[in-house]
């Protein structure tokens, strides 16, 4: 299995809703990432997990809450979002060690989030 | 702070022509990545460049890395319409997560 699977692919939520995005990989990657991408902009880093521990939080508002329950799964819990949070949310993973056979990051297909 | 600059931001090419996209980065880095993104889609990995002088080619695309100049190039040979997309370079290093350039929106016209 060489994929990162993200669900759902599309999500519409109200500003008072609570929802979660899910990301799963079975490649043995121990580094996992959440990126946010607004239209016509590059992806922006949100969170980094290394060996299931949060290692980087790029000053993301607390209405976004990441969770890494195990080495294969990464969640992003959403609560009280604003319309400006509407974006494509991308999950990525990679091997922590970068030896000769390092292949870089594998990105999921993304979740298109619309906050109404 | 790691900064990645990409140019041009917009590129309109005729089919059959050659062109180069440039990617400069601000600090010593171990790894340079090129991605392609089609509208509404996720990122597709094109190249991973890991050492000075690295050159990789896939079809009409060739990427190179000069770590001393902190410069990578993506060269497009004899462009075809199917290459129309947005191309991102990105850089990371030990302990420094991957950051992206602004992207180059490429349009190939007949």
């Amino acid at each position: 299995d060489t994929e990162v699977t993200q669900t759902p692919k599309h999500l519409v939520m109200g500003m008072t809703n609570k929802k979660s995005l899910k990301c799963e990989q079975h490649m043995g990657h121990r580094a996992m990432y959440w990126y946010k991408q607004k239209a016509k902009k590059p992806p922006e880093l949100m969170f980094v997990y290394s060996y299931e521990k949060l290692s980087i939080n790029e000053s993301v508002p607390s209405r976004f809450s990441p969770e890494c329950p195990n080495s294969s799964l990464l969640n992003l819990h959403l609560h009280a979002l604003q319309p400006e949070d509407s974006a494509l949310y991308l999950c990525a993973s990679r091997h922590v060690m970068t030896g000769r056979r390092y292949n870089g990051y594998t990105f999921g297909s993304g979740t298109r989030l619309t906050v109404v | 702070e790691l900064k990645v600059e990409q140019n041009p931001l917009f590129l309109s090419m005729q089919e059959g022509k050659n062109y180069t996209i440039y990617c400069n980065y601000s600090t010593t880095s171990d790894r340079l990545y090129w991605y392609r993104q089609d509208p509404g889609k996720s990122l597709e990995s094109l190249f991973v460049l890991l050492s000075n002088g690295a050159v990789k080619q896939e079809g009409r695309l060739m990427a190179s890395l000069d770590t001393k100049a902190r410069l990578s190039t993506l060269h497009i040979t004899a462009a075809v319409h199917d290459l129309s997309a947005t191309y991102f370079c990105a850089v990371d290093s030990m302990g420094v997560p991957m950051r992206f350039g602004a992207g180059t929106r490429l349009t190939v016209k007949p």
Side-chain angles (χ1 to χ4, degrees), chain A residues 35 37 40-43 45 48 56 58 88 90 94 98 102-105 107-109 112, chain B residues 31 33 35 37 40-43 45 48 50 88 92 95-102 105:
Chain A
Y35 283 86
Q37 187 179 24
K40 302 187 191 305
K41 296 292 186 182
L45 182 68
V48 180
I56 294 177
E58 290 284 292
L88 179 66
L90 294 165
R94 70 171 182 88
T98 58
Y102 177 65
N103 288 324
Y105 296 67
F107 278 85
S109 58
R112 176 78 56 190
Chain B
R31 304 178 288 261
Y33 308 84
Y35 295 93
Q37 188 174 39
K41 303 293 186 181
S42 183
L43 298 168
S45 179
V48 179
L50 301 178
F88 291 101
D92 72 0
V96 179
M98 185 168 63
R99 309 284 179 181
F100 287 82
R105 194 177 308 169

Side-chain angles (χ1 to χ4, degrees), chain A residues 29-34 47-56 65-69 73-75 92 94 96:
Chain A
H29 292 175
R30 302 303 292 276
M32 297 186 75
Y33 303 77
W34 282 114
F47 302 104
V48 180
Y49 274 83
S50 181
Y51 293 99
E52 296 85 69
K53 293 190 188 312
L54 181 65
S55 59
I56 294 177
S65 176
E67 178 196 21
C68 190
L73 188 57
L74 185 66
N75 297 319
R94 70 171 182 88
V96 174

Side-chain angles (χ1 to χ4, degrees), chain B residues 11-77:
Chain B
L11 179 54
S12 181
M13 298 177 63
Q14 280 196 310
E15 281 190 331
K17 298 293 187 181
N18 304 332
Y19 209 82
T20 300
I21 300 171
Y22 297 87
C23 177
N24 289 91
Y25 52 96
S26 61
T27 62
T28 302
S29 171
D30 296 334
R31 304 178 288 261
L32 192 292
Y33 308 84
W34 284 98
Y35 295 93
R36 169 181 172 147
Q37 188 174 39
D38 293 296
K41 303 293 186 181
S42 183
L43 298 168
E44 174 190 354
S45 179
L46 296 175
F47 301 107
V48 179
L49 302 171
L50 301 178
S51 60
N52 188 41
V55 177
K56 291 191 175 181
Q57 184 164 5
E58 182 73 35
R60 300 175 188 276
L61 301 178
M62 183 174 70
S64 66
L65 178 61
D66 181 344
T67 57
K68 294 180 181 178
R70 298 177 185 167
L71 171 68
S72 179
T73 60
L74 180 66
H75 187 71
I76 303 159
T77 301

Side-chain angles (χ1 to χ4, degrees), chain A:
Chain A
D1 188 351
T2 58
E3 290 187 349
V4 172
T5 302
Q6 285 188 248
T7 55
K9 294 194 183 306
H10 301 274
L11 178 62
V12 179
M13 61 185 290
M15 289 188 283
T16 58
N17 292 159
K18 286 185 180 181
K19 297 287 185 182
S20 296
L21 309 185
K22 180 180 173 182
C23 172
E24 195 165 9
Q25 57 86 17
H26 297 284
M27 295 176 281
H29 292 175
R30 302 303 292 276
M32 297 186 75
Y33 303 77
W34 282 114
Y35 283 86
K36 172 183 176 179
Q37 187 179 24
K38 302 280 280 184
K40 302 187 191 305
K41 296 292 186 182
E44 294 180 352
L45 182 68
M46 299 176 72
F47 302 104
V48 180
Y49 274 83
S50 181
Y51 293 99
E52 296 85 69
K53 293 190 188 312
L54 181 65
S55 59
I56 294 177
N57 175 343
E58 290 284 292
S59 302
V60 178
S62 60
R63 56 185 184 269
F64 294 91
S65 176
E67 178 196 21
C68 190
N70 59 58
S71 61
S72 299
L73 188 57
L74 185 66
N75 297 319
L76 186 62
H77 303 297
L78 314 172
H79 173 56
L81 294 194
Q82 303 297 310
E84 58 264 30
D85 296 321
S86 298
L88 179 66
Y89 288 83
L90 294 165
C91 174
S93 70
R94 70 171 182 88
H95 280 299
V96 174
M97 302 305 293
T98 58
R100 290 184 62 188
R101 299 180 71 177
Y102 177 65
N103 288 324
Y105 296 67
T106 302
F107 278 85
S109 58
T111 294
R112 176 78 56 190
L113 174 67
T114 303
V115 182
V116 297

